[in-house]
């Protein structure tokens, strides 16, 4: 699988692109409103705020409630800045902020239509990053994606990109990096420590046992009896 996206501490960036401009034209605050682009734009924005103010700020000053659709759009844009989110994550955030369901559904559906929410792309990037960066196996990756509300069919498609050979190769690399720190322990303790590390990363018992046994054999350990489940 070709590595396309590196998942850092916050995740891949969410670039609204032309779609966000369309949102702004329909009334969204957008990245160009309020923040500006550069110092000159910031001065112009502040000047407009002092002279007339935006409709939403005027309503706030008068104590009028904001349009829930506008609120939902602002919340989603803030949450998507620099960090990808699934539709469920955004829906949960809107519900927590007491956005009416109808308004939340309208905004979320619109964001899906213009590509600002894409659970399939989220899952693909998550699998690539977490497998290459943390060495997680398909089982652990699927578990993480389920907690983020990704649909089962989308999860299956994403984790299916990892073939068994690649997964086993990653398991060997993990064991090779950990092997030195287990030297000096007796064989059974080394087995439990190395196999336990693989199990926590989602590798199956059969693969973990096979990879650890072969690594120990390469160091001259007697592996007789290590074919039994651990």
């Amino acid at each position: 699988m070709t590595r396309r996206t590196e998942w850092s501490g916050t995740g891949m960036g969410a670039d609204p692109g032309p779609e966000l401009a369309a949102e702004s034209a329909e009334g969204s605050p957008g990245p160009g409103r309020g923040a500006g682009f550069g110092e000159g734009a910031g001065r112009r924005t502040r000047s407009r705020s002092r002279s007339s103010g935006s409709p939403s700020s005027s309503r706030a000053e008068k104590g009028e409630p904001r349009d829930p659709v506008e609120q939902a759009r602002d919340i989603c844009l803030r949450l998507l800045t620099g960090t990808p989110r699934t539709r469920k994550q955004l829906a949960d955030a809107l519900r927590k902020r007491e956005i009416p369901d109808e308004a939340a559904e309208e905004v979320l559906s619109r964001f899906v239509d213009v590509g600002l929410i894409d659970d399939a792309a989220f899952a693909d990037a998550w699998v690539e990053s977490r497998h290459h960066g943390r060495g997680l196996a398909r089982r652990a990756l699927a578990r993480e994606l389920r907690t983020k509300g990704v649909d089962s069919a989308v999860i299956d498609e994403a984790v299916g990109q990892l073939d068994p050979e690649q997964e086993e190769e990653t398991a060997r690399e993990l064991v090779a990096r950990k092997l030195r720190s287990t030297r000096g322990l007796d064989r059974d303790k080394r087995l439990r420590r190395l196999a336990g590390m693989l199990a926590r990363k989602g590798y199956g018992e059969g693969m973990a046992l096979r990879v650890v046994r072969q690594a120990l054999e390469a160091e001259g350990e007697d592996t007789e009896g290590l074919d039994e489940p651990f």
Side-chain angles (χ1 to χ4, degrees):
M1 178 176 64
T2 303
R3 185 176 181 183
R4 299 190 303 272
T5 306
E6 189 66 25
W7 204 288
S8 65
T10 58
M12 60 182 179
D15 181 11
E19 296 84 357
L20 184 54
E23 284 292 316
S24 297
E26 295 174 5
S28 168
R33 300 190 181 181
F37 295 93
E39 183 179 354
R43 287 197 296 268
R44 290 193 297 271
T45 300
R46 289 192 294 271
S47 177
R48 287 196 302 269
S49 298
R50 287 193 297 267
S51 60
S52 59
S54 65
S56 59
S57 63
S58 297
R59 286 197 300 268
E61 291 171 0
K62 295 177 182 178
E64 297 179 11
R66 290 183 64 195
D67 175 15
V69 170
E70 182 181 321
Q71 286 183 284
R73 186 161 47 222
D74 287 350
I75 291 168
C76 288
L77 287 173
R78 284 199 302 270
L79 291 175
L80 286 169
T81 300
T83 305
R85 311 272 181 171
T86 65
R87 178 171 180 145
K88 182 179 184 302
Q89 286 178 306
L90 292 172
D92 289 345
L94 295 177
R95 191 174 302 111
K96 183 177 180 181
R97 289 163 175 79
E98 300 183 346
I99 299 296
D101 291 344
E102 184 177 349
E105 181 62 27
E106 178 180 337
V107 171
L108 293 172
S109 296
R110 175 59 178 162
F111 274 38
V112 169
D113 289 343
V114 300
L116 292 177
I117 300 175
D118 188 338
D119 282 3
F122 178 99
D124 288 346
W126 187 269
V127 167
E128 284 200 22
S129 177
R130 300 286 282 176
H131 178 73
H132 290 290
R134 298 287 302 279
L136 299 186
R138 286 174 289 183
R139 185 166 59 185
L141 291 166
R143 183 169 59 246
E144 289 185 340
L145 288 171
R146 280 195 297 271
T147 67
K148 297 182 180 299
V150 180
D151 183 76
S152 296
V154 175
I155 292 175
D156 291 343
E157 181 72 20
V159 300
Q161 298 177 63
L162 291 176
D163 58 70
E165 291 78 14
Q166 181 179 357
E167 196 173 45
E168 183 163 336
E169 178 60 29
T170 301
R172 294 184 190 282
E173 292 172 0
L174 290 170
V175 169
R177 290 200 296 265
K178 186 76 173 177
L179 197 62
R180 177 174 295 182
S181 66
T182 67
R183 289 171 185 163
L185 301 176
D186 65 52
R187 186 198 66 176
D188 290 343
K189 285 184 178 179
R190 298 186 80 187
L191 169 67
R192 287 194 296 271
R193 183 165 297 183
L194 294 169
M197 178 267 296
L198 291 180
R200 288 190 296 274
K201 292 181 178 292
Y203 292 89
E205 182 179 288
M207 178 187 291
L209 181 60
R210 180 173 65 255
V211 168
V212 173
R213 178 174 56 79
Q214 291 172 353
L216 293 177
E217 284 178 348
E219 287 203 340
E221 286 274 15
D222 179 8
T223 60
E224 184 178 356
L226 290 186
D227 290 327
E228 300 176 359
F230 55 87

